[in-house]
Amino acid sequence: MIFFLILAASLFVSLVVQQFIGPLPWLHGTRVLLMPIVLFYGALAVPFWAMLILAFIAGFMWDALTVQIAFTRDIATGHAVASNVEISLGWSILLYAALGSLMIGFRPLFQRGRWEVHCLLSGVLTSAIVLAEYLMITLRRGEFVFSTEVWWRIGGAGLVAIILSPFCFFILSSIAEAVGYDTQPRQEKEQE
Amino acid sequence: MRRYNIAGLVVFLLAVGGLFALSPRNTQKVQSAFLGMISPFLRTGSSLQQRVVAFHEGLKTLTQLEQDNKTLLIQNAQLRTGLGYLRDLEQENNRLRHALEYRERAAFNLVPARIIARDSSTWWNTVRIDRGVDDGVEIDMPVLTEDGLVGKTTAVAGSSATVVLISDENCKVAATVEGTQEQGIVTGERTSNSLQPQISLIFLSKNANLRPGQRVFSSGAGAVFPAGVSIGVIKEFKKRELDGYATIVPSVDLTTLEDVFVVFGKK
């Protein structure tokens, strides 16, 4: 339970921290996304239901910060009134849950102490998040634009995640060990 | 799948369904509430970042400081001279307008704000400022600097607000081109980011024949942005099948933006 709360808090902290990391000029303005890495670690370390809660927290926070609302002017008062939401609040939750579920499929290898595949997968799934965001925007606004720049930013986010995930996984694993959380539950050990 | 996993999945889907069912107004409330919750952390982060930057800047040599001081003194004198001259012109302009029974051109009420964080997303161009409802900031208020237009407020919390930048595709500004009767809509490019802000002027007439270097100003149509605020300079004009299209270099350097003003209507 303590480790689950730590993971939830880590999602929040990573979201705040990534706000202060600027776009990378040497990677076509790629943004550094830390929160998905924490979420993917959570998917590997906690049970399915707990991963769903983490996906809910992460997706909710992300959408609350990024969802764009269109406004119209109230004729009587002259105040702006929210009239349309571009992409519904909550769609990132489903996306994160789906990708987290994919990550769960690789849990046995992680429990044997093998991280390589998961670090690579973190990168691929981070790119998938950025691609899904772009597709959502494109479907909503129309006009498909897939320039080299776009592909670089999608791929770049994944590349950065691949580089950062071993460090994040190490820190979170150390915390799990420090609080006495076993990432390999007894039942799963017996099954092995 | 264990029983509580299925139960968890059902609760999860219900909760997400509940969020999907939120009306735009409630979504805005949720957004503002979350912004209010996160803003103390963003403020702390911003002040920490400023301290680090200040520490680095504090490591300047005495010669560098002396040079900076000299440059600033010269700039100050130039600006003072310019300001005095402009004040005279403003008074004269208002006198003449009064004589012609025109309404006096009023300046805006501006509230200074500091940028506390930039959006970390790849496709949205927004920043967070340290002014909110407590300071009188409302949704859809224009944000600018002394150089030109920056964007408009979207989500507003107690002491912070989100500003969507003009480089975002969702921020549209009615605009006119200096020295012409051309009117169009300024919009950000989808692939624009805070490193390479790209904006364009669309829905121009095909025969506009705009030249690079012509200035673009807000026209005031739409009642969100005041008229006459500089947006940028034409970089290139292209004819399309149905309309004219121009790329613009923004007046404001959106990549290094630190301090802005929120416009509160006229004085």
Side-chain angles (χ1 to χ4, degrees):
Chain A
M1 185 65 184
I2 295 168
F3 185 62
F4 172 74
L5 292 175
I6 289 170
L7 277 176
S10 303
L11 286 174
F12 183 76
V13 171
S14 58
L15 178 70
V16 173
V17 170
Q18 71 185 28
Q19 301 280 319
F20 296 100
I21 306 171
L24 305 175
W26 44 272
L27 214 53
H28 295 258
T30 295
R31 302 304 304 233
V32 178
L33 301 171
L34 298 172
M35 194 175 66
I37 301 174
V38 177
L39 176 73
F40 296 140
Y41 179 85
L44 293 168
V46 298
F48 177 72
W49 61 268
M51 183 281 290
L52 287 179
I53 300 174
L54 291 178
F56 190 90
I57 295 168
F60 176 81
M61 291 194 299
W62 186 246
D63 279 354
L65 277 183
T66 56
V67 157
Q68 291 198 343
I69 301 170
F71 300 97
T72 49
R73 291 264 158 191
D74 187 291
I75 301 165
T77 59
H79 288 291
V81 181
S83 62
N84 187 35
V85 181
E86 191 182 34
I87 301 165
S88 292
L89 185 76
W91 83 276
S92 294
I93 300 174
L94 288 180
L95 178 68
Y96 287 174
L99 297 179
S101 303
L102 259 174
M103 201 70 167
I104 284 177
F106 291 83
R107 192 186 282 174
L109 202 61
F110 174 79
Q111 286 168 338
R112 273 183 238 133
R114 301 292 299 272
W115 286 5
E116 310 89 339
V117 179
H118 309 92
C119 292
L120 282 172
L121 201 62
S122 285
V124 174
L125 297 183
T126 303
S127 282
I129 290 172
V130 181
L131 175 65
E133 282 175 351
Y134 189 72
L135 288 174
M136 283 294 278
I137 292 172
T138 302
L139 286 170
R140 196 77 173 82
R141 299 180 189 170
E143 199 185 354
F144 277 81
V145 185
F146 276 103
S147 56
T148 323
E149 184 84 0
V150 170
W151 287 116
W152 262 110
R153 273 191 231 162
I154 292 166
L159 203 66
V160 173
I162 289 171
I163 296 165
L164 290 178
S165 52
F167 300 102
C168 293
F169 281 22
F170 175 74
I171 293 166
L172 289 167
S173 290
S174 306
I175 293 170
E177 208 172 300
V179 297
Y181 180 80
D182 188 3
T183 53
Q184 191 179 15
R186 194 186 303 161
Q187 281 174 332
E188 289 184 15
K189 276 180 188 168
E190 283 167 4
Q191 277 172 13
E192 276 180 33
Chain B
M1 197 183 267
R2 287 175 195 148
R3 214 182 317 163
Y4 49 85
N5 277 347
I6 295 168
L9 187 62
V10 170
V11 173
F12 171 80
L13 290 173
L14 283 174
V16 176
L19 285 177
F20 276 130
L22 283 177
S23 67
R25 206 173 281 198
N26 286 333
T27 305
Q28 185 207 326
K29 281 180 189 166
V30 170
Q31 211 176 22
S32 299
F34 183 70
L35 184 63
M37 200 189 97
I38 199 173
S39 61
F41 298 95
L42 295 180
R43 274 168 183 264
T44 312
S46 174
S47 63
L48 277 172
Q49 201 178 30
Q50 272 171 26
R51 274 184 209 174
V52 172
V53 173
F55 176 75
H56 277 286
E57 281 179 358
L59 294 175
K60 281 182 178 176
T61 62
L62 214 59
T63 329
Q64 275 177 318
L65 284 171
E66 218 168 274
Q67 273 177 348
D68 284 355
N69 194 32
K70 266 182 194 171
T71 318
L72 287 171
L73 280 171
I74 293 164
Q75 274 180 358
N76 191 22
Q78 282 172 338
L79 289 170
R80 274 166 179 271
T81 316
L83 191 66
Y85 176 67
L86 288 172
R87 274 201 186 129
D88 287 345
L89 281 180
E90 189 189 16
Q91 279 174 2
E92 188 187 332
N93 188 27
N94 281 336
R95 257 200 321 274
L96 292 169
R97 280 174 170 271
H98 190 68
L100 289 166
E101 293 180 344
Y102 277 7
R103 218 154 52 89
E104 280 192 15
R105 187 179 286 261
F108 306 106
N109 269 326
L110 302 173
V111 171
R114 176 165 272 275
I115 289 170
I116 51 172
R118 285 170 187 277
D119 202 339
S120 58
S121 68
T122 310
W123 313 115
W124 292 279
N125 290 294
T126 57
V127 292
R128 327 243 174 250
I129 56 170
D130 64 350
R131 299 279 179 176
V133 178
D134 300 344
D135 308 285
V137 175
E138 288 174 20
I139 287 156
D140 240 13
M141 277 184 165
V143 177
L144 41 86
T145 69
E146 61 276 23
D147 296 324
L149 199 62
V150 171
K152 64 175 181 176
T153 55
T154 52
V156 183
S159 58
S160 61
T162 303
V163 175
V164 58
L165 302 176
I166 52 168
S167 55
D168 192 290
E169 202 180 9
N170 269 346
C171 186
K172 292 182 167 60
V173 190
T176 55
V177 183
E178 174 189 47
T180 69
Q181 296 292 314
E182 283 300 323
Q183 301 244 348
I185 302 287
V186 168
T187 178
E189 299 274 331
R190 192 170 305 168
T191 54
S192 181
N193 68 0
S194 50
L195 197 70
Q196 299 152 313
Q198 294 161 31
I199 54 173
S200 50
L201 183 57
I202 55 172
F203 302 133
L204 293 161
S205 68
K206 275 175 79 175
N207 305 317
N209 284 329
L210 302 179
R211 294 182 311 276
Q214 278 183 298
R215 294 180 72 190
V216 180
F217 295 94
S218 58
S219 71
V224 176
F225 299 100
V229 181
S230 174
I231 297 173
V233 176
I234 303 267
K235 188 181 168 190
E236 192 185 9
F237 175 75
K238 281 179 194 166
K239 280 182 190 177
R240 294 196 294 196
E241 201 175 343
L242 296 171
D243 66 347
Y245 165 95
T247 47
I248 301 175
V249 178
S251 302
V252 180
D253 185 357
L254 298 166
T255 55
T256 55
L257 208 56
E258 279 185 6
D259 297 292
V260 293
F261 297 100
V262 183
V263 181
F264 273 76
K266 291 182 174 179
K267 265 180 187 168

